[in-house]
Amino acid sequence: MAELTIEARGLVKRFGRRTALDGLDLAVEPGQVMAVLGPNGAGKTTFVRAVATLLRLDGGTLRVAGFDVRREPEEVRRAIGLAGQYASVEPAMTGRENLEMVARLYGQPARTARASAAGVLERFGLAGDADRLARTYSGGMRRKLDLGASLVSTPRLLLLDEPTTGLDPRSRIELWDAIDGLVEHGTDVLLTTQYLDEAERLAGHIVIIDRGRAVASGPPAELKRRVGGNVLEVHVRDRADLAAVTAALAR
Ligand SMILES: Nc1ncnc2c1ncn2[C@@H]1O[C@H](COP(=O)(O)OP(=O)(O)OP(=O)(O)O)[C@@H](O)[C@H]1O
Ligand SMILES: [Mg+2]
């Protein structure tokens, strides 16, 4: 079997008395776009930060691109790109300068950095605005620049934490198209979102998390069938209670 892109087993993360991840299990297969869907405070950002090796877990095991985040964080970091819920664009630099700087930080020589920046600007439709200061960009353009910055190094896995939150509908659609383009180039994507429509639009597989645990997962159509209608699933501990439960529900 091919190695999983992400394999999370029983992840636990506590912040003081608050438990952000409470035994989270999740697997992403290669070639998959996975959406982690959940309400505010469900643990989405905490999970993304764990995958990005940005926090210390209190329990469980987490492997990314075959590497253990605890024992092999350097290897994990080389395999991933991260674009945040809060864009990390430097406003006092132009779009092109932002991207070239990131490429240089990844260790690319100046000439390679210039070429990667130009490639990303082209891919995201920012070439015409490349030499304007990022502070003059719209919210959608900044997000694209932020997304582009995570791609100058062609990561195997791209992490997108709520990539379209706060964008207007048009910018949202443009960003979706940009993400489609990456997927066509063969980048695996893990994204978080609070919106079912976004998860459906972008992902082949969805995991719904709530209070730090995975509560349902599957392809969008299957999940909608299971949770979309007004279906109430009731499990009884003892078969003998079935009649009483049925009667109670019929009331
Ligand atoms: N650095 C921190 N210190 C204390 N508590 C934290 C910290 N980071 C997250 N938490 C708590 O952990 C829980 C999960 O937070 P997290 O940011 O992962 O949720 P989220 O699903 O990303 O929510 P949102 O949709 O609002 O971005 C929340 O209860 C949050 O308050
Ligand atoms: Mg979050």
Side-chain angles (χ1 to χ4, degrees):
M1 200 189 91
E3 174 183 278
L4 292 169
T5 303
I6 299 179
E7 185 178 16
R9 286 206 193 149
L11 299 189
V12 175
K13 176 64 190 178
R14 293 185 205 91
F15 293 105
R17 253 175 294 156
R18 208 183 287 261
T19 303
L21 299 178
D22 190 13
L24 181 71
D25 294 314
L26 192 157
V28 180
E29 281 169 28
Q32 214 174 40
V33 179
M34 167 72 87
V36 176
L37 181 68
N40 286 130
K44 301 182 298 293
T45 297
T46 304
F47 175 64
V48 169
R49 291 183 62 215
V51 172
T53 75
L54 297 175
L55 57 78
R56 183 182 290 274
L57 288 162
D58 295 308
T61 58
L62 176 58
R63 297 180 73 80
V64 178
F67 301 107
D68 185 284
V69 293
R70 229 182 295 245
R71 288 193 302 272
E72 303 159 298
E74 289 297 322
E75 286 82 353
V76 171
R77 273 178 228 137
R78 268 198 289 275
I80 60 169
L82 173 65
Q85 191 170 9
Y86 308 100
S88 57
V89 165
E90 173 48 55
M93 291 165 77
T94 68
R96 188 188 307 281
E97 285 165 350
N98 263 285
L99 295 176
E100 287 182 2
M101 176 187 69
V102 173
R104 297 286 283 153
L105 290 174
Y106 275 113
Q108 296 181 12
R111 183 203 278 258
T112 315
R114 271 200 300 278
S116 342
V120 166
L121 289 163
E122 194 61 47
R123 179 141 40 120
F124 288 93
L126 291 172
D129 301 291
D131 298 309
R132 270 170 52 192
L133 292 184
R135 87 155 65 88
T136 70
Y137 281 16
S138 70
M141 290 164 76
R142 279 180 199 224
R143 278 313 167 86
K144 284 191 205 160
L145 190 60
D146 181 53
L147 186 58
S150 60
L151 288 164
V152 289
S153 68
T154 55
R156 249 183 82 177
L157 170 67
L158 179 63
L159 305 171
L160 301 172
D161 192 16
E162 301 200 24
T164 67
T165 298
L167 294 186
D168 66 32
R170 202 183 110 210
S171 305
R172 228 175 146 217
I173 290 167
E174 282 176 8
L175 206 76
W176 285 350
D177 290 342
I179 295 169
D180 279 345
L182 306 177
V183 174
E184 276 164 27
H185 277 73
T187 307
D188 289 349
V189 176
L190 176 93
L191 69 112
T192 73
T193 180
Q194 296 184 35
Y195 310 111
L196 178 61
D197 67 333
E198 176 158 288
E200 255 192 300
R201 163 71 178 70
L202 292 172
H205 209 87
I206 299 177
V207 174
I208 300 178
I209 70 170
D210 191 26
R211 288 176 225 160
R213 313 183 118 243
V215 294
S217 74
E222 190 188 310
L223 269 185
K224 271 181 91 178
R225 246 196 331 273
R226 272 160 48 196
V227 299
N230 289 318
V231 177
L232 181 63
E233 219 175 278
V234 179
H235 299 268
V236 289
R237 229 172 255 137
D238 189 342
R239 272 192 71 84
D241 294 332
L242 260 179
V245 169
T246 310
L249 288 174
R251 239 177 247 148

